Amino acid sequence: MKRPYNELNIQEYEASVNNQIMSCLDPDNLKSFFLFAGAGSGKTRSLVQVLDQFKFHYGNSFRIQGRKVAVITYTNAARDEIERRLQYDPLFYVSTIHSFIWGIIKPFQIDIKKWLINSLSNNLQELSDKLQKGRTRDPEKLKAEISSKERRLEHVTNTNQFIYSPDGDNQRFNSINHSDVIKIGQQFLMENALMQKILKNKYPVLLIDESQDTSKYLIEALFEMQEKHKESFSLGLFGDTMQRIYSDGKHDLGSNLPDDWITPVKEINHRCPTRIIKLINKIREPVDNQDQVPGEYNNKGIVRMFLCPSDSNKELMEEEVARIMSELTKDGSWSCDASDYKTLILEHHMAANRLGFSDLFQTLYSVKGLQNGVLDGNLPELSLFTKRILPIIRSNILQDDYTVTKIVNKYSPLLDRKHFNNKENQVENLKLAKQGVQDLLSLWTNDKEPMIEEVIQSIYNSGLFTIPEKFKLLIEEEISQPDGKDNFSDELDAWKDFIKIPFSQIEAYDTYIKGDAKFETHQGVKGLEYPRIMVVIDDEESRGFMFSYEKLFGAKKKTATDLRNEAEGKDSSVERTRRLFYVTCSRAQESLAIVAYSNKSELIKTHLLEENWLDEDEIIIMS
């Protein structure tokens, strides 16, 4: 590892990187760039500093011309932070990728309708062929899915105005989901010259944060657009392929760039202690050998790996690890009595199991079309619970009647002014809304724990909130068909099982998705940082095939598929796991404990020593 930068060197280096980026944003000489920014390198700081410079030099002319700089972020939290640091200046349009793309395609309503009709028609043809050729174990379920698609196609055909909600609040037939927004945007950018013209004229500079996880199809469409309009459109990508988490990202982003692209590098890691920087450099060494360097002010830090038997009492084992870390670091915040550390686990269903929402997670995550929405908390059907019912329950516990009233006023169709014919009608609806809240809250009296179905039924009966179509269908099926029906699609089957789950699992899920739980997944912490981190590794509990720490740590042989994928330059379970391990370890600001459950502790220890990831005294075998 290179010698640490001193304060003066850091300032000079950071200024040099910012100047390279700034040189690309000259409106009279636009160029495109890819900024390599490893973990803790301060890419958001560079982004804000460069945009402040841009505002000083070119802000007035952009405002006069009605132009903006677009900044695409990966999460709403990142969007809010960048907006705050840019002081909410309207010169900069900061948004998530879905909201940005929707803003571009929204005016093309006729084209959106054509795309949806074509997509649904093709999908229906595929399903019909599958049914006719007998390629299904459940013909009735497939018929129900075809019937659902036909109804959707009929509604689309009779609709001329489509809507999209980035928060998933819209439940109507004319609403478009996240996935379709990206697909439509990608195709329109590739094929619609007018859209390209509108985009480059309104946003001559488009900057994408966490670009390695942005849809590869969308990135490729933007690359193609940039190639056609390189003199009037600057595409700036901020990212690090080693921090790519999601499979739909472009795996080779940053390589094979056009010769006229600028490629600045941020190599200083401002976040991690020197010991952890050394570890993460070794983790990524086989991939690209992009070494990071600390500043002279970075502390030394401490890393320990605890190898634990698979059949351990995991709660007690992790408490013991925290106690040992408290002693080793002389940091009482690791102690069990006043612990203040973040536990990172591999898979979401490990978190679900530990936090008490495993039934909810497994039921919905089993359906491919629901997976992304479950992981990012944006499933429209769950908004009824997380944005309306849960806040009412929590506010009622705090005896906060004002917030309860505010929620009902905002979301209840009973209080929609469009439905008030006269003052008498208004008074009656207010009474109905009040009674609806009382009926809902009565489900929790005397320490009762209602099922989700009971909550939905209460809302359905009172009309307090709008019920998503899928829940309405399920409730009405139960009303009209006491024995139920089995001809649901896979998604409806999942929702049918979902409503039989205790409502308490909604609260546990909501706490986890908002980041308020003790546990986080490896995937969920990108961009975040914590003083003390405990990484929990357990291939057996994670039960996944996408990741394997035992392979990464040399305790299990790579499969033929792994070897073939690596030979062909494709992703493998080992490389996916390596990236997650890099992201996880690079979140630590002071100390890092890695807890690995395996019955092959000696094999793992030998491999880690051979790879020079850890020293012998940094590996502790627990019993």
Side-chain angles (χ1 to χ4, degrees):
M1 189 164 62
K2 299 177 185 176
R3 292 182 62 184
Y5 281 80
N6 62 39
E7 192 63 38
L8 179 61
N9 294 148
I10 290 174
Q11 292 178 10
E12 292 175 346
Y13 185 83
E14 296 286 342
S16 172
V17 172
N18 290 353
N19 288 339
Q20 289 182 70
I21 298 172
M22 192 62 196
S23 70
C24 299
L25 307 186
D26 179 351
D28 294 325
N29 187 27
L30 290 174
K31 294 189 282 291
S32 294
F33 67 90
F34 177 85
L35 171 69
F36 166 78
S41 61
K43 63 179 170 59
T44 302
R45 182 170 62 249
S46 277
L47 173 63
V48 171
Q49 288 172 345
V50 166
L51 292 180
D52 281 341
Q53 290 184 50
F54 182 91
K55 178 168 64 175
F56 177 79
H57 290 288
Y58 310 114
N60 287 339
S61 63
F62 257 49
R63 294 183 211 277
I64 291 170
Q65 297 167 17
R67 297 183 170 191
K68 295 176 181 284
V69 175
V71 182
I72 307 304
T73 65
Y74 198 78
T75 64
N76 290 331
R79 175 203 62 200
D80 295 343
E81 174 64 14
I82 292 173
E83 281 189 317
R84 182 187 67 79
R85 291 166 71 168
L86 290 172
Q87 300 180 323
Y88 305 98
D89 193 318
L91 174 66
F92 308 111
Y93 177 58
V94 188
S95 75
T96 60
I97 189 65
H98 294 88
S99 294
F100 179 75
I101 293 300
W102 174 247
I104 297 171
I105 67 174
K106 183 180 178 180
F108 296 83
Q109 292 286 326
I110 294 175
D111 298 281
I112 291 172
K113 180 175 182 175
K114 289 178 181 177
W115 188 95
L116 288 170
I117 290 174
N118 184 60
S119 176
L120 285 165
S121 298
N122 290 340
N123 194 211
L124 275 168
Q125 186 61 55
E126 291 171 3
L127 294 174
S128 297
D129 290 346
K130 187 176 179 181
L131 181 64
Q132 290 175 6
K133 294 176 182 179
R135 293 184 312 207
T136 175
R137 295 181 180 179
D138 194 337
E140 292 303 314
K141 185 181 292 186
L142 188 55
K143 288 178 183 177
E145 187 172 355
I146 290 172
S147 178
S148 175
K149 296 283 185 184
E150 287 174 340
R151 288 196 303 273
R152 168 70 169 155
L153 179 58
E154 181 181 356
H155 282 286
V156 167
T157 303
N158 295 318
T159 299
N160 293 315
Q161 188 71 30
F162 297 92
I163 58 176
Y164 166 72
S165 168
D167 298 320
D169 281 342
N170 287 321
Q171 305 289 334
R172 288 171 281 180
F173 282 105
N174 65 334
S175 63
I176 303 177
N177 63 34
H178 302 320
S179 176
D180 282 347
V181 165
I182 294 300
K183 291 175 183 175
I184 295 169
Q186 179 262 334
Q187 185 170 327
F188 284 13
L189 277 173
M190 295 281 279
E191 301 174 0
N192 193 316
L194 177 59
M195 176 173 287
Q196 292 182 12
K197 183 178 180 180
I198 292 172
L199 175 58
K200 73 181 182 65
N201 286 343
K202 187 171 184 179
Y203 305 108
V205 176
L206 173 59
L207 308 178
I208 303 181
D209 193 16
E210 303 291 2
S211 57
Q212 73 279 351
D213 274 321
T214 302
S215 165
K216 58 187 174 186
Y217 302 110
L218 198 54
I219 287 290
E220 287 167 358
L222 287 169
F223 265 97
E224 186 167 316
M225 178 180 163
Q226 187 275 335
E227 180 63 27
K228 292 178 180 177
H229 306 281
K230 61 177 59 180
E231 294 180 357
S232 55
F233 179 68
S234 171
L235 179 61
L237 307 179
F238 293 70
D240 174 13
T241 52
M242 193 64 186
Q243 296 187 72
R244 180 169 64 89
I245 298 298
Y246 297 101
S247 59
D248 60 348
K250 187 170 171 59
H251 79 277
D252 58 349
L253 188 66
S255 62
N256 302 316
L257 292 170
D259 293 338
D260 56 353
W261 277 52
I262 307 301
T263 54
V265 174
K266 297 201 72 172
E267 68 173 13
I268 303 174
N269 185 321
H270 301 278
R271 174 195 299 146
C272 299
T274 55
R275 178 63 192 94
I276 294 175
I277 293 174
K278 182 180 177 182
L279 171 62
I280 62 177
N281 283 344
K282 294 300 295 184
I283 293 170
R284 78 179 298 156
E285 187 177 85
V287 178
D288 58 15
N289 205 27
Q290 284 274 13
D291 274 6
Q292 288 190 294
V293 185
E296 63 179 4
Y297 54 80
N298 293 50
N299 59 42
K300 183 178 179 181
I302 185 170
V303 177
R304 291 293 185 274
M305 174 170 254
F306 299 84
L307 301 175
C308 311
S310 294
D311 58 357
S312 303
N313 181 319
K314 292 169 186 176
E315 184 177 354
L316 293 178
M317 184 64 72
E318 288 157 30
E319 287 181 1
E320 176 65 9
V321 167
R323 186 193 66 78
I324 294 172
M325 287 298 293
S326 182
E327 291 182 356
L328 288 172
T329 59
K330 303 295 188 290
D331 181 356
S333 293
W334 271 107
S335 66
C336 300
D337 294 334
S339 60
D340 183 19
Y341 61 89
K342 198 71 170 181
T343 301
L344 308 184
I345 53 185
L346 175 60
E347 281 285 12
H348 293 275
H349 66 251
M350 288 175 66
N353 185 51
R354 288 167 179 246
L355 293 172
F357 62 94
S358 58
D359 295 331
L360 181 156
F361 183 80
Q362 291 177 28
T363 297
L364 299 183
Y365 195 74
S366 64
V367 180
K368 186 175 181 180
L370 300 178
Q371 289 176 352
N372 287 339
V374 174
L375 298 185
D376 60 25
N378 283 329
L379 273 182
E381 290 78 11
L382 294 182
S383 295
L384 170 66
F385 309 110
T386 59
K387 295 182 181 179
R388 295 156 178 71
I389 297 172
L390 261 181
I392 285 178
I393 296 166
R394 289 167 174 164
S395 299
N396 182 65
I397 292 172
L398 297 172
Q399 298 183 337
D400 181 1
D401 294 337
Y402 171 78
T403 299
V404 172
T405 301
K406 186 177 178 181
I407 293 166
V408 175
N409 285 340
K410 181 177 181 180
Y411 293 114
S412 178
L414 293 173
L415 302 185
D416 189 330
R417 292 181 181 178
K418 292 184 294 185
H419 300 157
F420 292 159
N421 298 322
N422 50 54
K423 190 172 182 180
E424 185 177 328
N425 174 249
Q426 182 177 357
V427 171
E428 179 62 25
N429 277 20
L430 283 168
K431 289 180 180 179
L432 290 173
K434 184 177 180 179
Q435 186 61 50
V437 172
Q438 291 174 352
D439 292 344
L440 173 66
L441 293 174
S442 69
L443 297 174
W444 280 267
T445 56
N446 300 321
D447 296 323
K448 289 187 292 187
E449 183 180 3
M451 309 301 282
I452 293 173
E453 184 176 22
E454 295 176 79
V455 175
I456 297 173
Q457 188 73 64
S458 175
I459 298 296
Y460 179 87
N461 292 341
S462 69
L464 183 63
F465 298 120
T466 301
I467 299 288
E469 287 296 323
K470 293 183 178 67
F471 294 152
K472 188 176 179 181
L473 174 63
L474 291 172
I475 291 292
E476 291 178 346
E477 282 284 344
E478 293 296 324
I479 293 172
S480 61
Q481 301 288 338
D483 297 328
K485 288 185 177 181
D486 290 327
N487 61 337
F488 294 109
S489 67
D490 289 343
E491 187 173 323
L492 278 176
D493 270 338
W495 290 117
K496 188 177 181 182
D497 293 336
F498 167 83
I499 65 175
K500 306 295 184 184
I501 293 170
F503 187 85
S504 58
Q505 293 200 22
I506 292 279
E507 185 162 14
Y509 166 79
D510 183 62
T511 299
Y512 170 66
I513 286 298
K514 289 180 177 175
D516 296 332
K518 179 179 179 180
F519 301 105
E520 277 273 17
T521 58
H522 295 192
Q523 294 97 325
V525 296
K526 185 174 62 174
L528 303 179
E529 55 190 30
Y530 307 95
R532 292 157 292 277
I533 284 181
M534 180 186 294
V535 178
V536 176
I537 293 166
D538 190 341
D539 284 351
E540 185 176 310
E541 187 180 355
S542 71
R543 294 176 297 168
F545 63 90
M546 296 288 288
F547 308 98
S548 173
Y549 275 100
E550 288 201 332
K551 290 179 185 177
L552 181 65
F553 295 156
K556 184 184 290 186
K557 290 184 178 180
K558 297 178 182 179
T559 65
T561 301
D562 291 324
L563 295 172
R564 183 173 63 254
N565 286 340
E566 290 177 6
E568 295 174 358
K570 298 179 181 177
D571 219 2
S572 69
S573 61
V574 176
E575 293 313 306
R576 283 190 291 269
T577 309
R578 184 189 302 277
R579 293 196 301 271
L580 278 185
F581 195 47
Y582 175 88
V583 167
T584 302
C585 294
S586 62
R587 302 306 98 192
Q589 297 169 295
E590 296 174 13
S591 52
L592 172 65
I594 305 165
V595 181
Y597 292 102
S598 174
N599 292 325
K600 301 176 181 178
S601 295
E602 291 294 342
L603 277 176
I604 292 174
K605 179 177 180 179
T606 298
H607 182 78
L608 294 174
L609 293 174
E610 289 175 351
E611 293 293 312
N612 198 28
W613 283 16
L614 297 166
D615 297 330
E616 187 154 4
D617 64 346
E618 294 176 321
I619 303 174
I620 301 172
I621 296 181
M622 306 287 283
S623 58

